[in-house]
Amino acid sequence: MNKKLLLLIVACLVSAFVLAACGGSEEESTDATESDNGTASEETESEGGAIEVEHAMGTTTLEEKPERVVSLYQGATDTVLEFDVTPVGVVESWVQVPMYDYIKEDLQDVTYVGQETQPNLEEIAALEPDVIFASQIRHEEIYEQLSEIAPTIVNETIYDFKETTNLIGQALGEEEKAETLLSDWESRIADFQEKINGDENWLMSAAVLNYRADHARIYVTGFAGSILQEAGFQEPIELQGENEEIVMLNDKEAIPQMNADVFFQFMEDTPDVQKTFEEWTAHPLYQNLEAVKNDNVFTVDEVAWNMAGGLQAANLMLDDMYEYFELEQ
């Protein structure tokens, strides 16, 4: 074989080897790019599916939309039902045990996990929840334990039904639903304000009164008081500007602090409580109060007005207000 032919064969072999090497590198590069793109796509999808919720105890991340919900305070139990979600676990109600009559039918298959003030962590864990709704005022000390069971979303209070609605909406990925529910509420409040403005006695102050076996209470804010103020009622006359939440009256001489244009009262149906109620309402100081003189004293449902604390209860309370002031809904 001559030298020129040998050189030509060697050159061809080298070219073929280089082309094969380049093709392999390009193929490997393409595989790596597809792999990287696939990973990036999965990460984006994961980030897109994750839900971050800021709440009273920090920020909690849910990796995906939750399905199994546990509620540890009455307001959350009431409100989560408005999102067409039935919780797998709830705490017992304060009266009408195990659950308030107005939502009992919606919770027939639920598991009860103890009291609001003392939930059973083992029973909660056994339910394998995707999210837990709790309250700082009730559950701050067990927040870390709850968070080990499932992502836990915490409202600061137990009566701020608007915050409860917002937190539940965020956690369930149903923020538009939360906005709709609260918008509907604000429309009802605006309608009530417009109609009660036609009352010749408006503006009015209001007192929410609760009689106990050994004292009486005025709920200035809290659940009912806050809703009354949103509707346009003023605080009790003697307590305006005092920034009180609950005023406990241990002596009948304190009865003048109740004074308001309208009373909304509730109490337990027990002999001791009835005795207190009868003694206090027979007192001359009570008889001189504006609501009493004008026959504006209403006995209300203690569940809707004080114990439930959710969006449904707020609407029941507003229903009562329309009725008491003979306003058309």
Side-chain angles (χ1 to χ4, degrees), residues 53-58 60 71-77 79 116 131-140 143 146 152-168 170-171 223 308-311:
V53 183
E54 292 185 13
H55 55 88
M57 298 293 291
T60 294
S71 165
L72 299 186
Y73 66 102
Q74 311 302 326
T77 302
T79 305
E116 184 172 307
V131 66
I132 299 169
F133 294 111
S135 167
Q136 185 176 16
I137 196 171
R138 299 288 196 221
H139 311 116
E140 182 172 13
Y143 171 70
L146 291 171
T152 301
I153 311 298
V154 182
N155 193 350
E156 183 178 357
T157 72
I158 53 174
Y159 63 79
D160 187 346
F161 70 94
K162 292 184 180 180
E163 182 67 6
T164 294
T165 302
N166 279 322
L167 290 173
I168 291 175
Q170 291 175 51
F223 181 70
L311 181 58

mmCIF file of all heavy atoms in Angstrom, residues 53-58 60 71-77 79 116 131-140 143 146 152-168 170-171 223 308-311:
data_model
loop_
_atom_site.group_PDB
_atom_site.id
_atom_site.type_symbol
_atom_site.label_atom_id
_atom_site.label_comp_id
_atom_site.label_asym_id
_atom_site.label_seq_id
_atom_site.Cartn_x
_atom_site.Cartn_y
_atom_site.Cartn_z
ATOM 1 N N VAL A 53 -49.202 30.659 54.244
ATOM 2 C CA VAL A 53 -50.186 31.430 55.002
ATOM 3 C C VAL A 53 -49.501 32.107 56.182
ATOM 4 O O VAL A 53 -48.899 31.431 57.026
ATOM 5 C CB VAL A 53 -51.334 30.526 55.513
ATOM 6 C CG1 VAL A 53 -52.379 31.372 56.240
ATOM 7 C CG2 VAL A 53 -51.972 29.759 54.359
ATOM 8 N N GLU A 54 -49.585 33.406 56.236
ATOM 9 C CA GLU A 54 -49.111 34.152 57.402
ATOM 10 C C GLU A 54 -50.230 34.206 58.436
ATOM 11 O O GLU A 54 -51.378 34.498 58.099
ATOM 12 C CB GLU A 54 -48.699 35.571 57.003
ATOM 13 C CG GLU A 54 -47.466 35.629 56.122
ATOM 14 C CD GLU A 54 -47.013 37.052 55.847
ATOM 15 O OE1 GLU A 54 -47.507 37.975 56.533
ATOM 16 O OE2 GLU A 54 -46.181 37.235 54.949
ATOM 17 N N HIS A 55 -49.884 33.930 59.686
ATOM 18 C CA HIS A 55 -50.908 33.904 60.730
ATOM 19 C C HIS A 55 -50.302 34.359 62.050
ATOM 20 O O HIS A 55 -49.155 34.830 62.083
ATOM 21 C CB HIS A 55 -51.511 32.505 60.851
ATOM 22 C CG HIS A 55 -50.498 31.427 61.072
ATOM 23 N ND1 HIS A 55 -50.061 31.058 62.321
ATOM 24 C CD2 HIS A 55 -49.817 30.638 60.191
ATOM 25 C CE1 HIS A 55 -49.168 30.091 62.211
ATOM 26 N NE2 HIS A 55 -48.997 29.812 60.925
ATOM 27 N N ALA A 56 -51.040 34.233 63.121
ATOM 28 C CA ALA A 56 -50.640 34.807 64.406
ATOM 29 C C ALA A 56 -49.345 34.217 64.959
ATOM 30 O O ALA A 56 -48.654 34.874 65.745
ATOM 31 C CB ALA A 56 -51.767 34.628 65.437
ATOM 32 N N MET A 57 -48.990 33.005 64.555
ATOM 33 C CA MET A 57 -47.803 32.347 65.090
ATOM 34 C C MET A 57 -46.668 32.243 64.077
ATOM 35 O O MET A 57 -45.684 31.559 64.323
ATOM 36 C CB MET A 57 -48.181 30.948 65.592
ATOM 37 C CG MET A 57 -49.188 30.932 66.737
ATOM 38 S SD MET A 57 -48.538 31.620 68.268
ATOM 39 C CE MET A 57 -47.319 30.369 68.708
ATOM 40 N N GLY A 58 -46.802 32.912 62.918
ATOM 41 C CA GLY A 58 -45.723 32.863 61.933
ATOM 42 C C GLY A 58 -46.239 32.616 60.536
ATOM 43 O O GLY A 58 -47.343 33.036 60.177
ATOM 44 N N THR A 60 -46.858 29.503 57.692
ATOM 45 C CA THR A 60 -46.960 28.052 57.518
ATOM 46 C C THR A 60 -47.122 27.730 56.044
ATOM 47 O O THR A 60 -47.877 28.403 55.338
ATOM 48 C CB THR A 60 -48.162 27.501 58.309
ATOM 49 O OG1 THR A 60 -47.914 27.679 59.709
ATOM 50 C CG2 THR A 60 -48.384 26.028 58.019
ATOM 51 N N SER A 71 -60.488 21.276 63.041
ATOM 52 C CA SER A 71 -60.777 22.598 63.599
ATOM 53 C C SER A 71 -60.767 22.522 65.123
ATOM 54 O O SER A 71 -61.440 21.679 65.718
ATOM 55 C CB SER A 71 -62.154 23.078 63.128
ATOM 56 O OG SER A 71 -62.587 24.167 63.907
ATOM 57 N N LEU A 72 -60.022 23.439 65.756
ATOM 58 C CA LEU A 72 -59.874 23.402 67.207
ATOM 59 C C LEU A 72 -60.533 24.575 67.925
ATOM 60 O O LEU A 72 -60.305 24.781 69.113
ATOM 61 C CB LEU A 72 -58.391 23.336 67.583
ATOM 62 C CG LEU A 72 -57.627 22.119 67.068
ATOM 63 C CD1 LEU A 72 -56.211 22.112 67.630
ATOM 64 C CD2 LEU A 72 -58.345 20.819 67.413
ATOM 65 N N TYR A 73 -61.317 25.371 67.196
ATOM 66 C CA TYR A 73 -62.145 26.368 67.895
ATOM 67 C C TYR A 73 -63.456 26.552 67.141
ATOM 68 O O TYR A 73 -63.545 26.291 65.950
ATOM 69 C CB TYR A 73 -61.402 27.692 68.105
ATOM 70 C CG TYR A 73 -61.043 28.487 66.878
ATOM 71 C CD1 TYR A 73 -61.789 29.609 66.514
ATOM 72 C CD2 TYR A 73 -59.933 28.167 66.097
ATOM 73 C CE1 TYR A 73 -61.450 30.372 65.415
ATOM 74 C CE2 TYR A 73 -59.580 28.926 64.999
ATOM 75 C CZ TYR A 73 -60.345 30.033 64.659
ATOM 76 O OH TYR A 73 -59.995 30.791 63.564
ATOM 77 N N GLN A 74 -64.479 26.986 67.882
ATOM 78 C CA GLN A 74 -65.847 26.973 67.370
ATOM 79 C C GLN A 74 -66.006 27.813 66.108
ATOM 80 O O GLN A 74 -66.698 27.421 65.167
ATOM 81 C CB GLN A 74 -66.818 27.464 68.455
ATOM 82 C CG GLN A 74 -66.655 26.818 69.814
ATOM 83 C CD GLN A 74 -66.802 25.309 69.787
ATOM 84 O OE1 GLN A 74 -67.572 24.767 69.006
ATOM 85 N NE2 GLN A 74 -66.061 24.615 70.639
ATOM 86 N N GLY A 75 -65.368 28.975 66.083
ATOM 87 C CA GLY A 75 -65.497 29.855 64.934
ATOM 88 C C GLY A 75 -64.972 29.233 63.655
ATOM 89 O O GLY A 75 -65.525 29.447 62.566
ATOM 90 N N ALA A 76 -63.899 28.465 63.757
ATOM 91 C CA ALA A 76 -63.340 27.800 62.574
ATOM 92 C C ALA A 76 -64.242 26.656 62.123
ATOM 93 O O ALA A 76 -64.419 26.435 60.920
ATOM 94 C CB ALA A 76 -61.939 27.286 62.867
ATOM 95 N N THR A 77 -64.810 25.931 63.071
ATOM 96 C CA THR A 77 -65.724 24.842 62.722
ATOM 97 C C THR A 77 -66.918 25.379 61.957
ATOM 98 O O THR A 77 -67.319 24.830 60.912
ATOM 99 C CB THR A 77 -66.207 24.112 63.990
ATOM 100 O OG1 THR A 77 -65.077 23.605 64.704
ATOM 101 C CG2 THR A 77 -67.141 22.971 63.642
ATOM 102 N N THR A 79 -67.097 28.249 60.283
ATOM 103 C CA THR A 79 -66.743 28.935 59.044
ATOM 104 C C THR A 79 -66.254 28.002 57.953
ATOM 105 O O THR A 79 -66.542 28.207 56.770
ATOM 106 C CB THR A 79 -65.682 30.014 59.330
ATOM 107 O OG1 THR A 79 -66.170 30.896 60.354
ATOM 108 C CG2 THR A 79 -65.370 30.831 58.092
ATOM 109 N N GLU A 116 -62.192 22.554 73.357
ATOM 110 C CA GLU A 116 -61.449 23.666 72.741
ATOM 111 C C GLU A 116 -60.246 24.058 73.592
ATOM 112 O O GLU A 116 -59.187 24.393 73.068
ATOM 113 C CB GLU A 116 -62.391 24.858 72.563
ATOM 114 C CG GLU A 116 -61.778 26.047 71.855
ATOM 115 C CD GLU A 116 -62.804 27.114 71.533
ATOM 116 O OE1 GLU A 116 -63.838 26.789 70.901
ATOM 117 O OE2 GLU A 116 -62.581 28.278 71.921
ATOM 118 N N VAL A 131 -54.319 19.882 57.477
ATOM 119 C CA VAL A 131 -54.191 21.212 58.065
ATOM 120 C C VAL A 131 -55.007 21.258 59.350
ATOM 121 O O VAL A 131 -56.027 20.571 59.478
ATOM 122 C CB VAL A 131 -54.674 22.306 57.079
ATOM 123 C CG1 VAL A 131 -56.176 22.199 56.812
ATOM 124 C CG2 VAL A 131 -54.325 23.702 57.582
ATOM 125 N N ILE A 132 -54.523 22.055 60.306
ATOM 126 C CA ILE A 132 -55.212 22.259 61.573
ATOM 127 C C ILE A 132 -55.458 23.752 61.735
ATOM 128 O O ILE A 132 -54.550 24.565 61.541
ATOM 129 C CB ILE A 132 -54.374 21.750 62.764
ATOM 130 C CG1 ILE A 132 -54.103 20.251 62.625
ATOM 131 C CG2 ILE A 132 -55.064 22.050 64.090
ATOM 132 C CD1 ILE A 132 -53.058 19.725 63.605
ATOM 133 N N PHE A 133 -56.682 24.124 62.101
ATOM 134 C CA PHE A 133 -57.000 25.517 62.398
ATOM 135 C C PHE A 133 -57.121 25.672 63.911
ATOM 136 O O PHE A 133 -57.920 24.987 64.555
ATOM 137 C CB PHE A 133 -58.295 25.941 61.708
ATOM 138 C CG PHE A 133 -58.181 25.962 60.209
ATOM 139 C CD1 PHE A 133 -58.860 25.044 59.425
ATOM 140 C CD2 PHE A 133 -57.355 26.888 59.583
ATOM 141 C CE1 PHE A 133 -58.745 25.049 58.047
ATOM 142 C CE2 PHE A 133 -57.226 26.908 58.199
ATOM 143 C CZ PHE A 133 -57.921 25.989 57.426
ATOM 144 N N ALA A 134 -56.306 26.574 64.463
ATOM 145 C CA ALA A 134 -56.229 26.750 65.910
ATOM 146 C C ALA A 134 -56.308 28.232 66.257
ATOM 147 O O ALA A 134 -56.346 29.100 65.381
ATOM 148 C CB ALA A 134 -54.935 26.138 66.444
ATOM 149 N N SER A 135 -56.310 28.530 67.557
ATOM 150 C CA SER A 135 -56.383 29.906 68.041
ATOM 151 C C SER A 135 -55.238 30.160 69.013
ATOM 152 O O SER A 135 -54.954 29.327 69.879
ATOM 153 C CB SER A 135 -57.724 30.137 68.741
ATOM 154 O OG SER A 135 -57.708 31.342 69.473
ATOM 155 N N GLN A 136 -54.597 31.295 68.863
ATOM 156 C CA GLN A 136 -53.470 31.616 69.739
ATOM 157 C C GLN A 136 -53.908 31.687 71.191
ATOM 158 O O GLN A 136 -53.211 31.206 72.083
ATOM 159 C CB GLN A 136 -52.839 32.943 69.316
ATOM 160 C CG GLN A 136 -51.580 33.293 70.115
ATOM 161 C CD GLN A 136 -50.913 34.562 69.615
ATOM 162 O OE1 GLN A 136 -51.523 35.350 68.878
ATOM 163 N NE2 GLN A 136 -49.672 34.776 69.996
ATOM 164 N N ILE A 137 -55.062 32.264 71.432
ATOM 165 C CA ILE A 137 -55.526 32.435 72.808
ATOM 166 C C ILE A 137 -55.786 31.092 73.480
ATOM 167 O O ILE A 137 -55.701 30.973 74.706
ATOM 168 C CB ILE A 137 -56.796 33.325 72.843
ATOM 169 C CG1 ILE A 137 -57.058 33.831 74.253
ATOM 170 C CG2 ILE A 137 -57.994 32.588 72.298
ATOM 171 C CD1 ILE A 137 -58.156 34.869 74.338
ATOM 172 N N ARG A 138 -56.065 30.063 72.694
ATOM 173 C CA ARG A 138 -56.342 28.733 73.240
ATOM 174 C C ARG A 138 -55.136 27.785 73.136
ATOM 175 O O ARG A 138 -54.908 26.967 74.022
ATOM 176 C CB ARG A 138 -57.514 28.080 72.511
ATOM 177 C CG ARG A 138 -58.830 28.808 72.601
ATOM 178 C CD ARG A 138 -59.440 28.705 73.975
ATOM 179 N NE ARG A 138 -60.846 29.070 73.942
ATOM 180 C CZ ARG A 138 -61.444 29.802 74.877
ATOM 181 N NH1 ARG A 138 -60.744 30.245 75.922
ATOM 182 N NH2 ARG A 138 -62.724 30.087 74.785
ATOM 183 N N HIS A 139 -54.383 27.895 72.053
ATOM 184 C CA HIS A 139 -53.463 26.803 71.703
ATOM 185 C C HIS A 139 -52.015 27.218 71.515
ATOM 186 O O HIS A 139 -51.227 26.435 70.979
ATOM 187 C CB HIS A 139 -53.978 26.125 70.422
ATOM 188 C CG HIS A 139 -55.423 25.771 70.465
ATOM 189 N ND1 HIS A 139 -56.363 26.328 69.621
ATOM 190 C CD2 HIS A 139 -56.102 24.946 71.295
ATOM 191 C CE1 HIS A 139 -57.558 25.843 69.908
ATOM 192 N NE2 HIS A 139 -57.436 25.001 70.917
ATOM 193 N N GLU A 140 -51.656 28.395 71.974
ATOM 194 C CA GLU A 140 -50.277 28.852 71.785
ATOM 195 C C GLU A 140 -49.273 27.882 72.402
ATOM 196 O O GLU A 140 -48.222 27.596 71.820
ATOM 197 C CB GLU A 140 -50.100 30.239 72.390
ATOM 198 C CG GLU A 140 -48.716 30.827 72.193
ATOM 199 C CD GLU A 140 -48.608 32.276 72.625
ATOM 200 O OE1 GLU A 140 -49.540 32.769 73.303
ATOM 201 O OE2 GLU A 140 -47.607 32.921 72.291
ATOM 202 N N TYR A 143 -48.751 24.795 70.170
ATOM 203 C CA TYR A 143 -48.602 25.070 68.736
ATOM 204 C C TYR A 143 -47.520 24.192 68.108
ATOM 205 O O TYR A 143 -47.718 23.634 67.019
ATOM 206 C CB TYR A 143 -48.290 26.547 68.515
ATOM 207 C CG TYR A 143 -47.921 26.870 67.083
ATOM 208 C CD1 TYR A 143 -48.883 26.822 66.077
ATOM 209 C CD2 TYR A 143 -46.611 27.217 66.736
ATOM 210 C CE1 TYR A 143 -48.559 27.113 64.755
ATOM 211 C CE2 TYR A 143 -46.278 27.503 65.418
ATOM 212 C CZ TYR A 143 -47.247 27.454 64.439
ATOM 213 O OH TYR A 143 -46.919 27.741 63.137
ATOM 214 N N LEU A 146 -48.787 20.691 67.697
ATOM 215 C CA LEU A 146 -49.764 20.628 66.614
ATOM 216 C C LEU A 146 -49.067 20.685 65.260
ATOM 217 O O LEU A 146 -49.428 19.949 64.328
ATOM 218 C CB LEU A 146 -50.757 21.783 66.738
ATOM 219 C CG LEU A 146 -51.730 21.734 67.917
ATOM 220 C CD1 LEU A 146 -52.498 23.050 68.033
ATOM 221 C CD2 LEU A 146 -52.715 20.566 67.773
ATOM 222 N N THR A 152 -50.227 24.020 60.803
ATOM 223 C CA THR A 152 -51.219 24.592 61.716
ATOM 224 C C THR A 152 -51.340 26.094 61.485
ATOM 225 O O THR A 152 -50.356 26.822 61.536
ATOM 226 C CB THR A 152 -50.835 24.306 63.176
ATOM 227 O OG1 THR A 152 -50.764 22.878 63.364
ATOM 228 C CG2 THR A 152 -51.866 24.871 64.134
ATOM 229 N N ILE A 153 -52.571 26.545 61.230
ATOM 230 C CA ILE A 153 -52.883 27.949 60.959
ATOM 231 C C ILE A 153 -53.584 28.515 62.186
ATOM 232 O O ILE A 153 -54.568 27.945 62.658
ATOM 233 C CB ILE A 153 -53.789 28.089 59.725
ATOM 234 C CG1 ILE A 153 -53.240 27.276 58.552
ATOM 235 C CG2 ILE A 153 -53.975 29.559 59.362
ATOM 236 C CD1 ILE A 153 -51.879 27.698 58.074
ATOM 237 N N VAL A 154 -53.093 29.654 62.688
ATOM 238 C CA VAL A 154 -53.545 30.149 63.989
ATOM 239 C C VAL A 154 -54.134 31.554 63.875
ATOM 240 O O VAL A 154 -53.468 32.481 63.399
ATOM 241 C CB VAL A 154 -52.370 30.167 64.998
ATOM 242 C CG1 VAL A 154 -52.847 30.641 66.361
ATOM 243 C CG2 VAL A 154 -51.741 28.781 65.098
ATOM 244 N N ASN A 155 -55.365 31.697 64.326
ATOM 245 C CA ASN A 155 -55.984 33.019 64.473
ATOM 246 C C ASN A 155 -55.636 33.547 65.857
ATOM 247 O O ASN A 155 -55.540 32.780 66.819
ATOM 248 C CB ASN A 155 -57.505 32.921 64.309
ATOM 249 C CG ASN A 155 -58.171 34.276 64.146
ATOM 250 O OD1 ASN A 155 -57.549 35.331 64.327
ATOM 251 N ND2 ASN A 155 -59.447 34.265 63.816
ATOM 252 N N GLU A 156 -55.454 34.855 65.969
ATOM 253 C CA GLU A 156 -55.083 35.430 67.261
ATOM 254 C C GLU A 156 -56.190 35.269 68.291
ATOM 255 O O GLU A 156 -55.937 34.996 69.454
ATOM 256 C CB GLU A 156 -54.756 36.914 67.089
ATOM 257 C CG GLU A 156 -54.286 37.598 68.370
ATOM 258 C CD GLU A 156 -53.919 39.041 68.163
ATOM 259 O OE1 GLU A 156 -53.968 39.518 67.007
ATOM 260 O OE2 GLU A 156 -53.575 39.726 69.148
ATOM 261 N N THR A 157 -57.453 35.436 67.860
ATOM 262 C CA THR A 157 -58.585 35.385 68.781
ATOM 263 C C THR A 157 -59.467 34.182 68.443
ATOM 264 O O THR A 157 -59.156 33.383 67.557
ATOM 265 C CB THR A 157 -59.424 36.661 68.689
ATOM 266 O OG1 THR A 157 -60.146 36.655 67.442
ATOM 267 C CG2 THR A 157 -58.556 37.905 68.758
ATOM 268 N N ILE A 158 -60.597 34.102 69.131
ATOM 269 C CA ILE A 158 -61.586 33.077 68.807
ATOM 270 C C ILE A 158 -62.860 33.694 68.248
ATOM 271 O O ILE A 158 -63.785 32.972 67.891
ATOM 272 C CB ILE A 158 -61.939 32.223 70.045
ATOM 273 C CG1 ILE A 158 -62.362 33.117 71.207
ATOM 274 C CG2 ILE A 158 -60.780 31.326 70.438
ATOM 275 C CD1 ILE A 158 -62.857 32.372 72.428
ATOM 276 N N TYR A 159 -62.905 35.027 68.145
ATOM 277 C CA TYR A 159 -64.157 35.671 67.728
ATOM 278 C C TYR A 159 -64.026 36.507 66.463
ATOM 279 O O TYR A 159 -65.035 36.983 65.939
ATOM 280 C CB TYR A 159 -64.714 36.544 68.850
ATOM 281 C CG TYR A 159 -63.827 37.705 69.254
ATOM 282 C CD1 TYR A 159 -63.791 38.870 68.489
ATOM 283 C CD2 TYR A 159 -63.031 37.640 70.389
ATOM 284 C CE1 TYR A 159 -62.989 39.930 68.859
ATOM 285 C CE2 TYR A 159 -62.224 38.703 70.761
ATOM 286 C CZ TYR A 159 -62.212 39.848 69.997
ATOM 287 O OH TYR A 159 -61.409 40.895 70.356
ATOM 288 N N ASP A 160 -62.827 36.698 65.940
ATOM 289 C CA ASP A 160 -62.661 37.497 64.733
ATOM 290 C C ASP A 160 -63.003 36.633 63.521
ATOM 291 O O ASP A 160 -62.142 36.027 62.891
ATOM 292 C CB ASP A 160 -61.227 38.026 64.637
ATOM 293 C CG ASP A 160 -61.035 39.012 63.490
ATOM 294 O OD1 ASP A 160 -61.932 39.083 62.615
ATOM 295 O OD2 ASP A 160 -59.998 39.691 63.454
ATOM 296 N N PHE A 161 -64.292 36.582 63.192
ATOM 297 C CA PHE A 161 -64.745 35.672 62.133
ATOM 298 C C PHE A 161 -64.239 36.096 60.755
ATOM 299 O O PHE A 161 -64.100 35.254 59.858
ATOM 300 C CB PHE A 161 -66.276 35.582 62.140
ATOM 301 C CG PHE A 161 -66.980 36.829 61.670
ATOM 302 C CD1 PHE A 161 -67.361 36.967 60.347
ATOM 303 C CD2 PHE A 161 -67.267 37.851 62.553
ATOM 304 C CE1 PHE A 161 -68.010 38.107 59.904
ATOM 305 C CE2 PHE A 161 -67.917 39.000 62.119
ATOM 306 C CZ PHE A 161 -68.291 39.133 60.791
ATOM 307 N N LYS A 162 -63.933 37.359 60.584
ATOM 308 C CA LYS A 162 -63.393 37.804 59.286
ATOM 309 C C LYS A 162 -61.978 37.263 59.086
ATOM 310 O O LYS A 162 -61.623 36.783 58.006
ATOM 311 C CB LYS A 162 -63.400 39.328 59.199
ATOM 312 C CG LYS A 162 -64.795 39.926 59.137
ATOM 313 C CD LYS A 162 -64.730 41.435 58.962
ATOM 314 C CE LYS A 162 -66.109 42.031 58.896
ATOM 315 N NZ LYS A 162 -66.071 43.507 58.728
ATOM 316 N N GLU A 163 -61.158 37.352 60.124
ATOM 317 C CA GLU A 163 -59.811 36.802 60.027
ATOM 318 C C GLU A 163 -59.859 35.286 59.855
ATOM 319 O O GLU A 163 -59.089 34.705 59.084
ATOM 320 C CB GLU A 163 -58.994 37.178 61.261
ATOM 321 C CG GLU A 163 -57.553 36.693 61.249
ATOM 322 C CD GLU A 163 -56.689 37.352 60.178
ATOM 323 O OE1 GLU A 163 -57.175 38.281 59.489
ATOM 324 O OE2 GLU A 163 -55.534 36.931 60.004
ATOM 325 N N THR A 164 -60.766 34.641 60.573
ATOM 326 C CA THR A 164 -60.943 33.197 60.411
ATOM 327 C C THR A 164 -61.287 32.855 58.970
ATOM 328 O O THR A 164 -60.725 31.920 58.381
ATOM 329 C CB THR A 164 -62.044 32.682 61.357
ATOM 330 O OG1 THR A 164 -61.619 32.838 62.713
ATOM 331 C CG2 THR A 164 -62.346 31.214 61.102
ATOM 332 N N THR A 165 -62.203 33.612 58.390
ATOM 333 C CA THR A 165 -62.604 33.375 57.003
ATOM 334 C C THR A 165 -61.425 33.557 56.056
ATOM 335 O O THR A 165 -61.201 32.731 55.153
ATOM 336 C CB THR A 165 -63.745 34.324 56.607
ATOM 337 O OG1 THR A 165 -64.856 34.140 57.495
ATOM 338 C CG2 THR A 165 -64.211 34.064 55.176
ATOM 339 N N ASN A 166 -60.661 34.614 56.256
ATOM 340 C CA ASN A 166 -59.496 34.860 55.395
ATOM 341 C C ASN A 166 -58.448 33.762 55.519
ATOM 342 O O ASN A 166 -57.897 33.289 54.511
ATOM 343 C CB ASN A 166 -58.877 36.217 55.726
ATOM 344 C CG ASN A 166 -59.618 37.375 55.078
ATOM 345 O OD1 ASN A 166 -60.068 37.272 53.940
ATOM 346 N ND2 ASN A 166 -59.757 38.470 55.801
ATOM 347 N N LEU A 167 -58.155 33.343 56.745
ATOM 348 C CA LEU A 167 -57.145 32.307 56.956
ATOM 349 C C LEU A 167 -57.567 30.971 56.347
ATOM 350 O O LEU A 167 -56.757 30.278 55.714
ATOM 351 C CB LEU A 167 -56.864 32.139 58.448
ATOM 352 C CG LEU A 167 -56.122 33.285 59.139
ATOM 353 C CD1 LEU A 167 -56.073 33.067 60.643
ATOM 354 C CD2 LEU A 167 -54.702 33.427 58.575
ATOM 355 N N ILE A 168 -58.818 30.617 56.533
ATOM 356 C CA ILE A 168 -59.312 29.369 55.953
ATOM 357 C C ILE A 168 -59.274 29.447 54.433
ATOM 358 O O ILE A 168 -58.855 28.495 53.753
ATOM 359 C CB ILE A 168 -60.736 29.053 56.455
ATOM 360 C CG1 ILE A 168 -60.702 28.696 57.946
ATOM 361 C CG2 ILE A 168 -61.366 27.912 55.653
ATOM 362 C CD1 ILE A 168 -62.066 28.495 58.565
ATOM 363 N N GLN A 170 -57.268 31.210 52.540
ATOM 364 C CA GLN A 170 -55.882 31.090 52.084
ATOM 365 C C GLN A 170 -55.395 29.648 52.165
ATOM 366 O O GLN A 170 -54.785 29.123 51.231
ATOM 367 C CB GLN A 170 -54.985 31.991 52.927
ATOM 368 C CG GLN A 170 -55.203 33.481 52.713
ATOM 369 C CD GLN A 170 -54.363 34.306 53.668
ATOM 370 O OE1 GLN A 170 -53.165 34.117 53.792
ATOM 371 N NE2 GLN A 170 -55.008 35.232 54.372
ATOM 372 N N ALA A 171 -55.649 29.011 53.305
ATOM 373 C CA ALA A 171 -55.135 27.650 53.517
ATOM 374 C C ALA A 171 -55.756 26.646 52.552
ATOM 375 O O ALA A 171 -55.091 25.698 52.125
ATOM 376 C CB ALA A 171 -55.398 27.219 54.961
ATOM 377 N N PHE A 223 -67.164 39.124 70.154
ATOM 378 C CA PHE A 223 -67.898 38.755 68.941
ATOM 379 C C PHE A 223 -69.118 39.654 68.731
ATOM 380 O O PHE A 223 -69.204 40.401 67.744
ATOM 381 C CB PHE A 223 -68.322 37.284 69.028
ATOM 382 C CG PHE A 223 -69.063 36.776 67.823
ATOM 383 C CD1 PHE A 223 -68.403 36.592 66.622
ATOM 384 C CD2 PHE A 223 -70.412 36.470 67.891
ATOM 385 C CE1 PHE A 223 -69.078 36.124 65.500
ATOM 386 C CE2 PHE A 223 -71.099 35.995 66.782
ATOM 387 C CZ PHE A 223 -70.434 35.817 65.584
ATOM 388 N N ALA A 308 -70.530 30.706 69.439
ATOM 389 C CA ALA A 308 -70.129 30.075 68.181
ATOM 390 C C ALA A 308 -68.968 30.807 67.509
ATOM 391 O O ALA A 308 -67.955 30.203 67.177
ATOM 392 C CB ALA A 308 -71.319 29.986 67.235
ATOM 393 N N GLY A 309 -69.123 32.093 67.277
ATOM 394 C CA GLY A 309 -67.995 32.904 66.832
ATOM 395 C C GLY A 309 -67.583 32.781 65.391
ATOM 396 O O GLY A 309 -66.490 33.217 65.018
ATOM 397 N N GLY A 310 -68.416 32.208 64.522
ATOM 398 C CA GLY A 310 -68.045 32.051 63.122
ATOM 399 C C GLY A 310 -68.911 32.884 62.194
ATOM 400 O O GLY A 310 -69.802 33.623 62.624
ATOM 401 N N LEU A 311 -68.668 32.752 60.902
ATOM 402 C CA LEU A 311 -69.384 33.532 59.897
ATOM 403 C C LEU A 311 -70.872 33.195 59.870
ATOM 404 O O LEU A 311 -71.718 34.094 59.740
ATOM 405 C CB LEU A 311 -68.763 33.282 58.522
ATOM 406 C CG LEU A 311 -69.374 34.032 57.345
ATOM 407 C CD1 LEU A 311 -69.333 35.540 57.560
ATOM 408 C CD2 LEU A 311 -68.667 33.663 56.044
#
